[in-house]
Amino acid sequence: MELKLNNGVTMPALGLGVFQSPPEETTAAVQTALEVGYRHIDTAAAYGNEREVGEGIRRSGLDRGDVFIETKVWVSDYGYDESLHAWDKAVGKLGVEQLDLLILHQPAPDRFEKTVAAYKALETLLADGRVRAIGVSNFMPQHLKQLLEATDVVPAVNQIELHPYFAQRNVQAADAEHGVLTQAWSPIGGITFYPGWGENRKNVMRDPAIAAVAKAHGKTPAQVMLRWHLQQGRSAIPKSTNPARIAENFDVFGFELSAAELAAIDALDTGVRSGPDPDVARPERFAMVIPEA
Ligand SMILES: NC(=O)c1ccc[n+]([C@@H]2O[C@H](COP(=O)([O-])OP(=O)(O)OC[C@H]3O[C@@H](n4cnc5c(N)ncnc54)[C@H](OP(=O)(O)O)[C@@H]3O)[C@@H](O)[C@H]2O)c1
């Protein structure tokens, strides 16, 4: 299933995420994903595994043009020249000559002028054909508005925290209004259950309403959540390093949720995020240096 971006480029709706995938497991995870049919990988400079993603793609034997590669510029590389150079680092590690989608990892709310300069570098990379599409991540409507006022190219994608417990309908609406495709991170709610991210979180994977829909279709909660994204027109990039779960998360094209089931999942939204608030300045993030290729 392909989605058309606002510049005409097509992107497979479902991709493999690799946040927290240890480098030594990433090559195999990417290879497995490509074997079971994924054609889209979402990585980031900050994940420290772009090199292994590139290796997994090469080992698959697929043509470069058959795999959609998405990666992200980290905040410490924001600024015009810095972000142009972030492209050099990314393609050097991935071992490719062109990126399919390059996005800003998050707004830097206290240094928005640097965020804008970084985006202008993405516009240059796009004009030069070094990337096929550009976008943003974790942009709230006010960040998007500020960016649109200061730049020329409307982002193709906004990648945000989005699962049944936090659907961010206001962000989805702002994205849609401007022709920006919303892409869900933690699409099966990883941020609500992966360890070390705070106690007392409510695990969306164990939600009884989702379990009921899953049971009705003979599917798993993860598959139901991915169907919910796809049927509502979003891109989703579930992460796994486990071969069975990588395959499970791609086996979502043979069933359909009803309007009532979609509405039941929509009704689970708590309005409370589990991940970091993009509007809070986090100066410590600028201390993380992205290594050269
Ligand atoms: N832009 C951003 O700021 C941002 C932030 C977070 C994530 N992301 C991107 O979005 C991707 C996905 O988000 P995420 O990794 O946070 O969460 P996720 O994909 O919703 O969930 C991943 C977690 O679920 C487990 N899992 C995977 N498939 C499963 C299944 N079928 N049944 C049960 N458990 C399953 C994984 O463990 P196993 O590996 O052991 O299967 C992992 O702990 C990331 O990898 C990254 O590419 C972007």
Side-chain angles (χ1 to χ4, degrees):
M1 186 181 168
E2 303 252 328
L3 293 169
K4 200 171 213 173
L5 304 180
N6 60 14
N7 67 351
V9 165
T10 54
M11 177 180 84
L14 199 62
L16 178 77
V18 296
F19 174 45
Q20 305 186 105
S21 302
E24 62 280 10
E25 293 175 30
T26 300
T27 298
V30 167
Q31 224 183 322
T32 302
L34 295 172
E35 270 160 26
V36 302
Y38 292 71
R39 290 293 180 267
H40 173 181
I41 312 291
D42 175 70
T43 182
Y47 300 168
N49 56 17
E50 285 173 312
R51 214 176 287 282
E52 290 75 16
V53 166
E55 185 58 27
I57 293 170
R58 278 187 296 283
R59 285 196 198 170
S60 76
L62 288 167
D63 288 340
R64 166 68 189 93
D66 290 336
V67 184
F68 190 96
I69 304 179
E70 173 173 3
T71 191
K72 314 182 189 82
V73 181
W74 185 240
V75 289
S76 56
D77 280 335
Y78 284 6
Y80 186 79
D81 292 335
E82 295 89 333
S83 295
L84 285 181
H85 186 56
W87 179 88
D88 294 308
K89 294 196 239 182
V91 295
K93 290 172 193 164
L94 285 156
V96 298
E97 290 176 356
Q98 186 191 44
L99 300 171
D100 295 290
L101 176 59
L102 183 60
I103 65 179
L104 300 185
H105 208 134
Q106 53 197 256
D110 56 335
R111 308 177 202 200
F112 207 76
E113 67 301 335
K114 279 213 144 202
T115 312
V116 168
Y119 193 81
K120 288 189 173 173
L122 301 195
E123 291 182 323
T124 298
L125 293 166
L126 181 69
D128 292 350
R130 287 184 276 173
V131 300
R132 296 174 65 228
I134 60 176
V136 295
S137 179
N138 299 304
F139 269 47
M140 300 299 100
Q142 71 274 20
H143 305 129
L144 191 59
K145 184 167 176 282
Q146 267 181 285
L147 185 79
L148 291 172
E149 281 165 4
T151 58
D152 296 324
V153 178
V154 177
V157 164
N158 185 14
Q159 183 184 118
I160 57 169
E161 178 184 346
L162 208 171
H163 45 76
Y165 285 170
F166 192 52
Q168 306 214 63
R169 292 205 191 282
N170 60 327
V171 184
Q172 293 197 53
D175 288 350
E177 187 191 325
H178 297 288
V180 181
L181 178 76
T182 301
Q183 183 174 55
W185 69 250
S186 273
I188 54 174
I191 191 86
T192 72
F193 59 80
Y194 46 61
W197 287 68
E199 301 313 314
N200 306 320
R201 284 169 304 161
K202 198 169 153 214
N203 181 345
V204 69
M205 197 66 91
R206 300 225 178 95
D207 187 275
I210 294 175
V213 175
K215 189 159 180 249
H217 289 274
K219 292 287 174 181
T220 66
Q223 290 171 322
V224 164
M225 287 188 260
L226 292 169
R227 235 8 260 184
W228 172 70
H229 290 294
L230 296 175
Q231 286 183 224
Q232 295 187 343
R234 291 184 292 275
S235 171
I237 44 169
K239 174 266 175 185
S240 182
T241 46
N242 173 289
R245 289 193 286 275
I246 291 171
E248 175 188 325
N249 296 343
F250 199 73
D251 182 17
V252 293
F253 298 103
F255 72 110
E256 187 104 13
L257 303 180
S258 67
E261 288 169 331
L262 293 173
I265 300 171
D266 286 340
L268 299 175
D269 191 7
T270 63
V272 179
R273 70 173 74 249
S274 293
D277 182 346
D279 232 0
V280 173
R282 292 172 205 276
E284 70 281 4
R285 291 190 173 168
F286 289 81
M288 178 177 159
V289 175
I290 302 300
E292 296 298 323

